[in-house]
Amino acid sequence: MQSITININNEKLADKVMWFLKHLKNEGLEIVSKEDMDDLKLLKATRKEGSIPFDEYLENGN
């Protein structure tokens, strides 16, 4: 699998590129936003961390 990052500063051009890429989904193209990928990496990094009950988190939030 290859990953490609495309940075587009023009919103009209970005819409055109996304339209084109969406037509390639049937051929196996997967579109993932960089922000979503960053969030997934951060989430994965927390898997080994301990957790506390949500109520305790709220009590000690300050």
Side-chain angles (χ1 to χ4, degrees), residues 10-34:
N10 179 308
E11 191 172 335
K12 277 184 135 179
L13 179 58
D15 290 342
K16 290 178 183 180
V17 169
M18 287 302 299
W19 176 86
F20 175 75
L21 292 176
K22 286 179 182 177
H23 284 81
L24 298 175
K25 280 185 167 184
N26 291 339
E27 296 183 37
L29 179 71
E30 179 183 20
I31 301 170
V32 180
S33 76
K34 182 173 181 343

